[in-house]
Amino acid sequence: MVNLPDSLYEDYTRLMVNVPSASASTFQPSPDLRMIIKWVDDLHSTIPSTVDFALQNLTTHRKKFEILPWLLWKSRCTMAMMLQCITHYPETRNGFLTADMPNYFYPLMDIGLTDKPLECLRLGALGVIAHMLKPPVDVAVVRYLVDTSCLDHCTKAIEIGSTESKTLAVFIINKILSTGVGLQYCCVLPDRFFFIDGLLKKLLVYLTTMPTPCPSLLNLIVGCYAKLSYKPRARRGLRRYLPAMLFNGTFASLLAKDPAAEGYRRELIKNLEMI
């Protein structure tokens, strides 16, 4: 097995974490097992400050409780979830990139099988990359991802992955296109544009096969096309190879329920000078 870089094991307890006042009152210098269990459970919170607080304290006290690895294993927490937390914050994300850690996740995104356990691995790997691109999008992250061919590694998810994997893959493409660096990379060569366009059209076809089409997936697809339409080269390609299903009423009912997606579609129409 490939040895992981030393930087992965950096002591992150040196980092400062903004702890909410409500949580600060419950902090105990020498926590008992009940508090350790609570912090493990807090890793699943939807409140970022709560997750921060739990991670800091579990890291600080990790050597005092031999049962902690077992608790993490038995909980719903996974390594992918922990890494998603690491990649979301600039303080830890930079070290993650310096260690070239995304390269460990690309093979999982490239899995060519759809068995549920393997699909879960794909979904977890996509989640790690997607968390690096949550707003505000860091241009340095985008530059790293395009330089390491991240877009190519989204292909299997779009072609054979679950709806969740497809949504995360197109989220990654959408966020890359949302920056000047990413948009330039995707449009500077015809092959890159047609590669992205091909993936997006496969997703449009997939949506038509769903009993209940996924609104968030359509929103991301239309958003990608709207972003592409701001580049002259891409505009010429889109006019010639129009994503017809966005204009022939195929998704009319879905667009009527999603003002944001319809806004992207109108933006695309305007940029293509179709009105």
Side-chain angles (χ1 to χ4, degrees):
M1 181 176 178
V2 178
N3 292 324
L4 296 178
D6 293 338
S7 60
L8 180 64
Y9 302 101
E10 181 178 353
D11 183 4
Y12 291 112
T13 59
R14 295 173 298 165
L15 301 176
M16 297 299 294
V17 178
N18 294 323
V19 180
S21 58
S23 300
S25 61
T26 63
F27 179 78
Q28 300 177 14
S30 299
D32 56 16
L33 182 58
R34 189 179 308 171
M35 183 58 69
I36 293 294
I37 293 173
K38 180 183 182 304
W39 286 332
V40 170
D41 189 58
D42 283 347
L43 292 176
H44 308 281
S45 172
T46 58
I47 304 172
S49 58
T50 300
V51 177
D52 285 345
F53 186 66
L55 278 173
Q56 182 184 26
N57 285 302
L58 288 172
T59 302
T60 301
H61 301 288
R62 66 188 184 279
K63 296 181 180 180
K64 299 178 183 177
F65 291 85
E66 294 183 359
I67 198 175
L68 180 57
W70 183 87
L71 290 173
L72 290 171
W73 181 262
K74 289 295 183 181
S75 77
R76 293 168 292 142
C77 182
T78 64
M79 181 59 70
M81 184 184 298
M82 299 288 285
L83 288 169
Q84 286 170 15
C85 294
I86 290 172
T87 58
H88 180 59
Y89 298 101
E91 296 85 353
T92 49
R93 184 196 304 139
N94 294 336
F96 190 84
L97 290 179
T98 301
D100 287 326
M101 291 305 297
N103 288 303
Y104 289 83
F105 294 90
Y106 291 157
L108 300 179
M109 294 162 60
D110 292 336
I111 292 173
L113 300 172
T114 58
D115 306 58
K116 187 173 181 179
L118 296 177
E119 183 59 28
C120 286
L121 284 176
R122 186 195 337 270
L123 189 61
L126 286 163
V128 171
I129 304 300
H131 271 71
M132 297 170 66
L133 292 165
K134 285 198 169 183
V137 179
D138 187 340
V139 175
V141 171
V142 172
R143 186 174 289 108
Y144 178 93
L145 292 178
V146 297
D147 286 347
T148 55
S149 302
C150 177
L151 292 171
D152 293 339
H153 298 293
C154 292
T155 303
K156 285 298 182 184
I158 289 173
E159 291 181 342
I160 64 172
S162 64
T163 300
E164 293 79 8
S165 287
K166 293 180 194 298
T167 302
L168 277 179
V170 75
F171 172 88
I172 291 168
I173 295 172
N174 186 289
K175 294 307 174 187
I176 287 175
L177 290 172
S178 71
T179 67
V181 170
L183 187 59
Q184 175 68 12
Y185 175 88
C186 293
C187 297
V188 70
L189 296 176
D191 287 351
R192 291 179 187 171
F193 164 76
F194 286 116
F195 171 72
I196 297 296
D197 179 55
L199 293 179
L200 296 176
K201 283 179 174 149
K202 285 179 181 179
L203 288 169
L204 288 174
V205 172
Y206 173 76
L207 279 172
T208 65
T209 67
M210 299 179 70
T212 305
C214 177
S216 59
L217 184 54
L218 179 62
N219 183 296
L220 288 166
I221 295 168
V222 185
C224 286
Y225 274 120
K227 291 174 175 66
L228 284 169
S229 69
Y230 278 93
K231 279 291 185 179
R233 280 189 174 185
R235 275 200 300 274
R236 290 195 291 270
L238 289 172
R239 289 193 190 106
R240 187 171 181 181
Y241 302 98
L242 199 67
M245 282 187 281
L246 294 180
F247 305 103
N248 63 11
T250 301
F251 302 109
S253 59
L254 209 57
L255 290 166
K257 298 175 184 176
D258 188 346
E262 176 60 20
Y264 291 138
R265 193 182 78 95
R266 291 185 179 278
E267 192 176 335
L268 175 60
I269 291 172
K270 180 181 178 181
N271 290 346
L272 296 181
E273 299 175 348
M274 296 174 62
I275 54 174

